[in-house]
Amino acid sequence: MTKTAEPTTGRVPLRVAVLALGTFAVGTDAFVVAGVLPEISADLQVSIAEAGQLVTVFAIAYAVLSPVMATLTGNWPRRRVLLTALAVFAVGNIATALAPTYGAVLATRVLAAAGASMFTPIAGATVAALAPEDQRARAISLVTLGLTAATALGVPIGTLLGTVATWRGTMWLVAALGLAAGIGVALLLPPVPAPPAAGLRERLSPLGNGKVVAILLTTVAAFIGIFVVNTYVSVIVGAATGGSGMLLAVLLFLSGCAGTVGNLAAGGWTDRIGPRRVIAAAMVVGALNFAVMPWSTATFAGAVIAIVVFGLTSWSITVPQQHRLIAAAPAAASFVISLNASGGYLAASLAGVIGAAALPFSPAALPWVAAVFVVAGLAMSEYANRVGARR
């Protein structure tokens, strides 16, 4: 397919920038609810635990719907899928902002997750199709940048807005971001044709590829470990922060900034040395960092180092994983990337349960449990490479 020349802003193509804006909106929506749980609880007159189920519902709906939506829209032109996804996403968040009851809010979170689950995988596959092969990982990293930037900027901004105004204002902000991304896609993204027509059996054929399955299991195992730490970070760094919300916010901001750097660096290094080495290096350093966290987080200075390393390594995995999946199943790129996204959200759901089971033993057990899962992910990643060599 002939690459279309694009207008640029600095060194980032505008068509990539609008896709990154879309993933920024999706990432903010996925994570920001956790920051406004007290406001949601008070407004809807439910407990904090019940309000927290809004996060779980979004994650599970995303995990289930992502491959389904990728299959249903598999024959659509890519721009139509992206515009439809952003429209559904924006409508879902507007409905959340207007929903009068807890049950209605739960339902609207599923609608927003449906739009998000359509957008993110197709955005990654689209930019990979438009980029030269030797720049594919770097292009994917720019789109994924939206997700990492959401943790560093979108979530704190949305949380602040929810605190000084209302949590419904946060949902309006997310909807506006989605609509802005939709306008950008409509105006700036060149036409990208749909993949060749294929039946359901052919679209599901990557699930019979041992290498693809092993890569997907790598994502699930590694991100269970990552999300155990991410979900219970306030407990893990409790000694360093002394319960101060301000100090915790500083650590989370640093983690998001480090994740942004790690994501961009991973794109460049993947193009240079290949995804296997990038993934192995990130997982080895990440597992070692988790193993020493009970001691490194005893002081605030140590916690800063631990959290920065956490952000760098955690977000260095996503891009090379997507790169490997596209290389393993190029004819089904959108579908396998959607499965990878589902694996990440499934891991987030499982991490909450696993972390809750480990917490009663000791807060120190949480990073150790995380290290075990990251090591399991590394073993599965190496197995995937051996499967690829045999094939």
Side-chain angles (χ1 to χ4, degrees):
M1 181 175 60
T2 302
K3 302 293 183 291
T4 306
E6 72 277 352
T8 59
T9 173
R11 296 182 61 188
V12 181
L14 285 176
R15 65 190 184 194
V16 175
V18 296
L19 293 176
L21 177 60
T23 57
F24 178 80
V26 169
T28 302
D29 195 28
F31 304 129
V32 77
V33 170
V36 291
L37 290 182
E39 290 77 11
I40 294 175
S41 172
D43 184 37
L44 299 179
Q45 298 182 341
V46 297
S47 68
I48 293 289
E50 288 175 308
Q53 294 306 306
L54 298 175
V55 179
T56 304
V57 165
F58 186 96
I60 292 175
Y62 189 114
V64 172
L65 292 174
S66 187
V68 173
M69 301 309 293
T71 300
L72 293 177
T73 62
N75 293 327
W76 292 15
R78 303 295 84 181
R79 188 162 61 177
R80 185 198 302 174
V81 179
L82 293 169
L83 289 172
T84 301
L86 289 170
V88 172
F89 174 79
V91 168
N93 279 283
I94 292 171
T96 299
L98 298 173
T101 65
Y102 176 69
V105 172
L106 281 174
T108 62
R109 298 313 293 151
V110 174
L111 182 61
S117 71
M118 291 173 65
F119 181 81
T120 306
I122 301 300
T126 298
V127 77
L130 291 171
E133 187 172 354
D134 62 346
Q135 298 177 26
R136 179 182 294 167
R138 191 176 293 105
I140 295 173
S141 73
L142 290 173
V143 172
T144 310
L145 175 65
L147 294 175
T148 59
T151 64
L153 299 175
V155 174
I157 291 171
T159 301
L160 178 62
L161 178 61
T163 301
V164 300
T166 168
W167 70 271
R168 296 181 187 274
T170 301
M171 297 297 104
W172 282 109
L173 170 64
V174 174
L177 290 172
L179 290 172
I183 294 171
V185 168
L187 296 177
L188 299 172
L189 191 71
V192 181
L200 179 61
R201 182 174 181 178
E202 186 176 351
R203 290 193 181 281
L204 297 178
S205 63
L207 293 177
N209 183 329
K211 182 178 179 69
V212 169
V213 173
I215 295 172
L216 293 173
L217 290 176
T218 299
T219 293
V220 174
F223 275 92
I224 286 176
I226 289 167
F227 279 116
V228 163
V229 172
N230 191 70
T231 302
Y232 294 96
V233 65
S234 61
V235 177
I236 294 171
V237 301
T241 63
S244 168
M246 181 63 69
L247 292 179
L248 178 60
V250 169
L251 291 176
L252 293 177
F253 177 75
L254 291 175
S255 176
C257 291
T260 301
V261 173
N263 171 75
L264 292 174
W269 281 109
T270 298
D271 283 330
R272 290 186 182 93
I273 65 175
R276 177 184 183 180
R277 293 178 180 177
V278 175
I279 291 170
M283 288 189 178
V284 168
V285 175
L288 291 174
N289 183 47
F290 290 163
V292 300
M293 265 190 178
W295 298 280
S296 63
T297 57
T299 65
F300 187 74
V304 167
I305 296 173
I307 289 300
V308 167
V309 173
F310 168 65
L312 284 170
T313 55
S314 299
W315 284 100
S316 295
I317 297 173
T318 303
V319 171
Q321 279 288 91
Q322 291 184 359
H323 191 280
R324 286 205 298 178
L325 285 168
I326 292 172
S334 298
F335 180 66
V336 293
I337 291 181
S338 71
L339 288 175
N340 193 59
S342 292
Y345 277 90
L346 174 63
S349 300
L350 293 174
V353 177
I354 293 169
L359 186 58
F361 294 96
S362 169
L366 292 169
W368 289 340
V369 169
V372 169
F373 277 99
V374 171
V375 170
L378 176 60
M380 185 57 64
S381 177
E382 291 301 304
Y383 173 74
N385 287 307
R386 288 197 295 272
V387 171
R390 288 200 298 269
R391 288 175 62 86

